[in-house]
Amino acid sequence: MQLNKSIWASPSDYFRQNQPDRPVCFFAPKVLHASLDEFQQGFPGLVTYAVKANPLREVLENLVAAGLSGFDVASPVEISQVRAVCQNAVLHYNNPVRSRAELEFARDAGVASYSVDSFTELAKLAEIVPPNGVEISVRLKLPVTGAAYDFGAKFGATPEKCGALLAKVADLGFTPSMTFHPGTQCKDPAAWQSYIFAADQIARRAGVTLSRLNVGGGFPSHRQGAQPELAPIFDAIRSATRTAFGTKPPDLVCEPGRAMVAEAFTLAPRIKAITDEGDVFLNDGTYGALAELPTIEPNERIVVLGSSGAPVGGRHKRRMVFGPTCDSLDVLPEKTLLPDDIAEGDHVLFHGMGAYSYSVATGFNGYGQVQTVTVQDLEPHLLARTAPQSR
Ligand SMILES: *Cc1c(COP(=O)(O)O)cnc(C)c1O
């Protein structure tokens, strides 16, 4: 019998020896370590990780092993997921709406940082969590553009209301801070700057000195075109903070989800069928790990590997790509560029799929289960070789 190999060199190496009928998600820990490094070297403050982007145990373990100790959590389940890999992790509960039972759970788990955007939720919090040493960040929303979609539609208070909330937080004896989220997959550094200048104005007018300013997640990952750069965003955050707050700035915190974890995973559904019209059916779709494709910009970082593990070539053309369920909504939003020579049984690799992929997959129609396979390298060079130069 062959030895069971648990870490493979690459997706091609894996597909040379395995032809699973279920979608596979390849995880390269070294890529996750590199993303964490980029944040820790470049971001001018404390780096935490937003667990919801990908709560896989291996992700949390690798981040903790590489020195990360702060996490943004949004529910008791996420609190437990982090505690299971790191007893003394620092948890920021930045979902601004919580039930009483959730607050009691968080308090008992030692959570000492929360966000709020309403007086009713602040009062509820103050009834359950004693103020000593506990930070409350008031969440600001502004009509700012630049992101793939607007997070202010659900959470955040207007500047006027933030001022009143901050004063109340300080009155109640909590440590006052502020937070915002510019919206996910945000490529415009100016979005962060608008928020930082506004936060300074709000705190000044409220007569409150901010302990910290949490600049959210929202940092972009690579889905199409040139790789978005984080350094200009970090520079914009650094310079806006200096300009706005002068010599006594609040400590900065960030809580990336997407940009921390996206690049470390390559999703590989398999071609189940190619129809008479040339349309493609995959064994994963928009009810599975490709859930985000209709709401965020398309992912065009696609490589096809044949059942021997070798890249499939040929000229490229756009095709309809369907998922496996019987719902007609289960289709990729734009026609997808795929090589001419694809065949049933090939594996379609989507790079940069670590965030909001199988963490949001449903089990609809009996699909949606993805197997994670650890690899040393995701082979981004195959993409450079096979990607077409133009549409
Ligand atoms: C979702 C979320 C994040 C992470 O956002 P990304 O766009 O994935 O970086 C960070 N903070 C809060 C409060 C969130 O809700």
Side-chain angles (χ1 to χ4, degrees):
M1 205 172 87
Q2 210 183 346
L3 252 176
N4 188 23
K5 199 170 155 186
S6 64
I7 297 182
W8 300 81
S10 63
S12 329
D13 179 35
Y14 178 77
F15 287 133
R16 268 192 291 275
Q17 295 181 51
N18 300 272
Q19 295 298 319
D21 204 39
R22 277 213 209 135
V24 175
C25 206
F26 294 101
F27 169 43
K30 81 170 179 197
V31 179
L32 181 62
H33 287 248
S35 299
L36 175 59
D37 239 35
E38 185 175 7
F39 273 99
Q40 288 190 323
Q41 303 292 322
F43 181 75
L46 175 71
V47 178
T48 68
Y49 170 61
V51 172
K52 78 169 186 286
N54 187 331
L56 200 70
R57 189 179 176 106
E58 289 91 323
V59 168
L60 302 179
E61 279 175 351
N62 272 279
L63 290 172
V64 169
L68 190 81
S69 58
F71 293 84
D72 164 49
V73 291
S75 63
V77 169
E78 289 186 357
I79 291 172
S80 302
Q81 285 169 325
V82 175
R83 284 276 180 259
V85 303
C86 184
Q87 268 306 311
N88 57 356
V90 176
L91 302 174
H92 299 157
Y93 197 157
N94 283 340
N95 179 348
V97 176
R98 313 161 192 92
S99 72
R100 284 169 199 274
E102 287 171 340
L103 280 169
E104 285 159 8
F105 185 96
R107 176 200 59 203
D108 296 347
V111 176
S113 178
Y114 300 81
S115 73
V116 297
D117 62 3
S118 77
F119 286 98
T120 53
E121 285 299 292
L122 174 56
K124 196 202 285 182
L125 179 54
E127 269 178 51
I128 293 167
V129 181
N132 347 18
V134 169
E135 170 185 57
I136 295 185
S137 302
V138 174
R139 177 145 168 189
L140 169 65
K141 73 169 166 198
L142 293 176
V144 160
T145 58
Y149 62 80
D150 183 10
F151 270 32
K154 184 161 183 181
F155 294 134
T158 60
E160 296 65 38
K161 188 168 167 182
C162 280
L165 278 166
L166 261 185
K168 184 76 184 172
V169 164
D171 257 11
L172 289 166
F174 292 98
T175 303
S177 291
M178 280 185 74
T179 186
F180 61 83
H181 192 301
T184 201
Q185 188 69 3
C186 182
K187 294 180 185 166
D188 185 3
W192 278 271
Q193 294 194 303
S194 308
Y195 272 104
I196 292 166
F197 287 118
D200 169 58
Q201 291 294 317
I202 291 164
R204 251 176 235 273
R205 271 193 227 121
V208 170
T209 303
L210 296 182
S211 169
R212 300 202 289 185
L213 178 59
N214 182 328
V215 302
F219 303 90
S221 72
H222 189 190
R223 301 176 72 84
Q224 58 178 354
Q227 177 168 10
E229 284 185 76
L230 299 183
I233 298 175
F234 296 153
D235 288 346
I237 290 170
R238 187 183 292 108
S239 74
T241 304
R242 199 179 299 134
T243 308
F245 290 91
T247 53
K248 285 218 155 165
D251 290 335
L252 295 176
V253 181
C254 69
E255 47 188 19
R258 181 184 303 285
M260 184 75 83
V261 79
E263 199 59 23
F265 288 79
T266 293
L267 179 71
R270 192 172 189 191
I271 297 179
K272 294 180 76 168
I274 301 176
T275 67
D276 302 336
E277 291 74 34
D279 299 344
V280 172
F281 278 76
L282 300 177
N283 62 2
D284 195 21
T286 62
Y287 286 95
L290 293 165
E292 248 200 358
L293 265 63
T295 41
I296 305 280
E297 62 182 323
N299 183 325
E300 294 186 342
R301 297 176 61 213
I302 296 173
V303 177
V304 180
L305 298 182
S307 41
S308 64
V312 170
R315 291 186 30 244
H316 282 63
K317 72 171 182 219
R318 291 199 173 264
R319 300 178 189 250
M320 294 285 281
V321 175
F322 294 101
T325 71
C326 297
D327 188 332
S328 49
L329 288 177
D330 192 5
V331 57
L332 302 194
E334 288 174 35
K335 284 194 169 182
T336 303
L337 207 49
L338 292 171
D340 258 359
D341 303 346
I342 55 169
E344 182 192 326
D346 287 352
H347 307 278
V348 180
L349 276 62
F350 295 78
H351 283 298
M353 289 295 292
Y356 310 109
S357 50
Y358 55 91
S359 65
V360 300
T362 73
F364 179 48
N365 248 188
Y367 293 102
Q369 276 170 331
V370 178
Q371 178 196 354
T372 307
V373 172
T374 304
V375 290
Q376 286 162 335
D377 180 30
L378 293 167
E379 300 172 314
H381 58 282
L382 292 182
L383 187 62
R385 192 140 44 90
T386 56
Q389 294 310 301
S390 68
R391 306 191 159 197

